[in-house]
Amino acid sequence: MTPLAALSVYRWGSRTAADYFCPVCGILPFRKPSAPTARERAEGVRPFEGWAVNTRCLEGFDPSAVPVRRIHGSALVAERPG
């Protein structure tokens, strides 16, 4: 298991999200999701304060046993940082 301090961090787009990945094998075990855009905030979307976890990295956990929320990336609207 790789400790958090040894993981690499990648930031993209608005630079408010952080993807943590192993610099040796490349797996992304978790990420800190991005902040809502101005449009999303205006629509009432609240910031997500938690972490997104790649459950495929957890021993003894069956990812198919939990509900899935699908996100269509092609429908997302990018906002340039101001």
Side-chain angles (χ1 to χ4, degrees):
M1 177 176 5
T2 305
L4 180 63
L7 294 176
S8 295
V9 180
Y10 180 72
R11 295 183 184 274
W12 51 275
S14 66
R15 303 200 51 82
T16 61
D19 291 335
Y20 291 81
F21 65 94
C22 176
V24 175
C25 72
I27 195 164
L28 188 140
F30 46 85
R31 71 185 314 261
K32 191 74 167 158
S34 60
T37 64
R39 178 178 158 195
E40 290 170 329
R41 287 190 304 276
E43 293 172 353
V45 174
R46 294 181 305 179
F48 180 73
E49 301 297 331
W51 290 80
V53 177
N54 180 351
T55 58
R56 291 172 190 86
C57 295
L58 303 175
E59 279 188 40
F61 183 81
D62 178 11
S64 66
V66 295
V68 173
R69 179 179 174 205
R70 300 215 181 268
I71 299 172
H72 298 283
S74 63
L76 296 176
V77 177
E79 178 180 288
R80 295 191 183 272

